[in-house]
Amino acid sequence: MKSKVIKFGVIFSGFLLSSVAMAFDGAEGSMSNALSYIAIGAGLAVGMATMGAATGQGKAASTALEGIARNPGSADKVFMPFILGLVFMEFQALLGFVIAIMWTAKFAG
């Protein structure tokens, strides 16, 4: 229960910082504040994407190894879907990184 509350807090704070960064009025001096919020929001986005991918990869590896341990003959059938799942999860983390970089570059320059 405690980890769910922490995850919700991280996600909510990321959305909050994102909305604050988008709401700057463009007046003198507020642009530097907005850029700092954008940088924080981008960092949280990368952190959340990485956290999700790492959690999914850990659960997938655990389940695959448990299945292979129960039935060693299924190792050949489990291996390829397991690797594909890991690839897709890693792509999710990299996509979060790319989106955060693009978002920062859009507002910084």
Side-chain angles (χ1 to χ4, degrees):
M1 178 66 179
K2 187 175 182 180
S3 66
K4 288 183 182 182
V5 172
I6 292 172
K7 287 179 186 178
F8 176 76
V10 169
I11 292 170
F12 181 73
S13 63
F15 287 133
L16 180 66
L17 288 173
S18 300
S19 63
V20 168
M22 295 300 213
F24 74 94
D25 60 351
E28 196 68 32
S30 67
M31 185 59 133
S32 63
N33 290 338
L35 289 178
S36 64
Y37 286 127
I38 289 170
I40 292 171
L44 286 173
V46 171
M48 288 186 290
T50 304
M51 181 178 64
T55 303
Q57 286 177 348
K59 188 164 180 100
S62 170
T63 305
L65 290 174
E66 183 177 326
I68 291 171
R70 289 179 185 221
N71 185 6
S74 69
D76 294 337
K77 294 179 182 178
V78 172
F79 182 72
M80 188 54 80
F82 168 64
I83 294 297
L84 282 173
L86 291 180
V87 167
F88 291 137
M89 288 178 233
E90 192 64 32
F91 176 73
Q92 172 195 4
L94 291 174
L95 188 62
F97 175 71
V98 168
I99 289 172
I101 292 297
M102 289 173 55
W103 189 38
T104 305
K106 177 182 176 184
F107 290 104

